[in-house]
Amino acid sequence: MIDFIIRLFQQYGYQILDKMNHIIVVKSDEFEDYWLIAVGLEAFERQSKLHDDLVIGILKDYPKFEKNTSLLLLVDGEANWEKNMSIEKDPFVFKKYVLNYTDTAF
């Protein structure tokens, strides 16, 4: 699934900036628009640490990333709507989106 999502981002003008701790960081070629793409919910659970690592790491040269970064969480399995909504409504650090999928649906 992650390869499919990365190809979609690239098709729409995003480039991979780096891969860090199982998270792929992409940036728009045209805008100051960044996405962190991760498999599972671990990135959500450690989003503050992830943010701090990005500030001093690969995104230190991109000052606008703090206001323009979204976290896409790819979750293998049926959707848990209540949990997904609580993650997506979480106001801290990143805008968040949860995409559940199954092998059959994929």
Side-chain angles (χ1 to χ4, degrees), residues 2 27 50 59 69 86 102:
I2 191 142
K27 180 192 178 302
L50 177 59
L59 292 178
T69 301
S86 68
T102 62

Side-chain angles (χ1 to χ4, degrees), residues 18-31:
D18 206 344
K19 296 178 183 181
M20 121 180 197
N21 299 327
H22 308 291
I23 295 170
I24 299 171
V25 182
V26 296
K27 180 192 178 302
S28 171
D29 290 336
E30 192 172 338
F31 305 105

Side-chain angles (χ1 to χ4, degrees), residues 26-75:
V26 296
K27 180 192 178 302
S28 171
D29 290 336
E30 192 172 338
F31 305 105
E32 292 290 326
D33 179 30
Y34 306 85
W35 284 82
L36 309 176
I37 305 167
V39 175
L41 298 176
E42 182 185 346
F44 169 71
E45 295 161 358
R46 58 184 183 87
Q47 64 182 315
S48 292
K49 169 98 171 83
L50 177 59
H51 172 269
D52 294 345
D53 290 346
L54 290 167
V55 168
I56 61 172
I58 60 177
L59 292 178
K60 68 178 180 240
D61 297 327
Y62 301 93
K64 294 185 179 182
F65 96 89
E66 293 220 43
K67 297 286 184 189
N68 299 313
T69 301
S70 298
L71 174 60
L72 176 60
L73 301 164
L74 305 175
V75 180

Side-chain angles (χ1 to χ4, degrees), residues 90-101:
D90 179 77
F92 300 107
V93 189
F94 305 110
K95 294 169 261 175
K96 290 166 270 314
Y97 302 89
V98 179
L99 177 61
N100 288 88
Y101 67 94

